[in-house]
Amino acid sequence: MQIMPYRPLTASPFRQDEEYREIAPRTPELAKYICCFWGSGQPFLKKGAVAGLVTPDTCADIIYWIDYTSNTVHGGFCGINDVSFSETDNSRDGHFVSLFAIRFYAWSAYVFSEDSMRGTLNDYVDVRSRFQWLDGFLRPQLFEKRSLEEWAEIAEALLLKQLSGARHSAVIDDAAAQILLHKGAISASALAEECFISGRQLERLFHEYIGITPKKLCNLVRYQFIWNDVLRNPAFSVMDAVWQYGYTDQSHLLREFRRYHTMDIRTARNYAYHVGNIQYPQGESCYDEKKMRKGRDIR
């Protein structure tokens, strides 16, 4: 089944600075598996870090720090997260460094992995524990190249070559397609029925290939669709979203959003625009009350 286009968002999706940029995969074949390549555009001097909010983005990342001062490369694999956390890294202060990462969709990282995704939820491990083949080719070239575009080109070529012989699960592909089709508003039992498999079998496959339960992935995808609506729809209405995404009531939606984002909708949108240095249209504040609230409470 064809997976519909899906663009998960971070807590600060408008951010563009010397430490963070994103590049989309150039080939349609890889775009089905990789959300983006991201990192620093060029090497930069690390001058301390401001704590940044990391929210569940339904993705898993391979992240490399290239330290030209100590002549080292550190590579890690960050599995899918179902909680938010504040991240600050001051360990390389005063060093000349670069950052390069590959962001996989949660349901596609296994395709390129040498091991199960079981136990990777909210975990960060050495990249070689599951992607030794990729690390062996990529790590030596990280010092030779110095730009995000060059690293992305190398990684894309390696991943594309590996794709022909990679493992695939038709059930996982179908399940991911159904979850996106329903925008996360589907129960685990209904999902199993759509995939013509028992609920127990589906949960076992999800743990093996994604590292998370079907129910939790559905909830995270639903949260991501709402977060997209909050930022992209100037007439966003909580009550409309309750109906559209199958929540019990307004409190249910607001409670789940806060659980995943650690802040309410208004504050989350303010944070996203502030970190991205985005100016509100026509001098508006984060929410134009007439447009955004429509007489309903947005907490």
Side-chain angles (χ1 to χ4, degrees), residues 52-98:
L53 178 64
V54 179
T55 52
D57 59 4
T58 63
C59 291
D61 297 71
I62 290 175
I63 306 173
Y64 282 100
W65 275 102
I66 305 100
D67 191 323
Y68 305 100
T69 302
S70 62
N71 199 36
T72 58
V73 176
H74 174 77
F77 174 67
C78 181
I80 186 173
N81 291 310
D82 68 345
V83 295
S84 294
F85 58 92
S86 182
E87 183 180 49
T88 305
D89 181 10
N90 295 312
S91 62
R92 301 171 182 87
D93 284 0
H95 287 214
F96 202 52
V97 300
S98 286

Side-chain angles (χ1 to χ4, degrees), residues 234-281:
F236 176 77
S237 161
V238 172
M239 288 306 296
D240 289 346
V242 167
W243 173 83
Q244 182 180 359
Y245 294 105
Y247 285 93
T248 305
D249 51 31
Q250 180 173 320
S251 296
H252 182 199
L253 184 152
L254 295 173
R255 186 169 60 250
E256 183 168 283
F257 184 91
R258 182 186 283 272
R259 182 169 78 247
Y260 289 135
H261 215 96
T262 72
M263 56 183 70
D264 59 53
I265 290 175
R266 183 193 303 275
T267 308
R269 192 169 188 266
N270 267 326
Y271 178 90
Y273 275 84
H274 173 72
V275 174
N277 294 317
I278 302 297
Q279 297 297 318
Y280 304 117

Side-chain angles (χ1 to χ4, degrees), residues 100-167:
F100 174 63
I102 306 168
R103 181 170 292 153
F104 300 96
Y105 296 109
W107 47 85
S108 61
Y110 82 88
V111 173
F112 304 96
S113 173
E114 296 163 318
D115 200 359
S116 165
M117 291 291 113
R118 190 179 298 273
T120 59
L121 177 64
N122 300 321
D123 198 16
Y124 183 81
V125 296
D126 191 299
V127 65
R128 290 166 290 195
S129 66
R130 285 179 170 81
F131 298 90
Q132 187 169 2
W133 73 270
L134 178 62
D135 183 80
F137 287 111
L138 187 56
R139 186 184 292 256
Q141 301 188 62
L142 293 175
F143 273 115
E144 296 178 12
K145 308 297 181 181
R146 290 291 181 105
S147 73
L148 179 59
E149 288 76 13
E150 289 175 314
W151 294 321
E153 184 178 356
I154 294 169
E156 191 160 0
L158 291 170
L159 293 167
L160 195 59
K161 183 178 180 180
Q162 184 76 4
L163 190 58
S164 59
R167 58 177 180 164

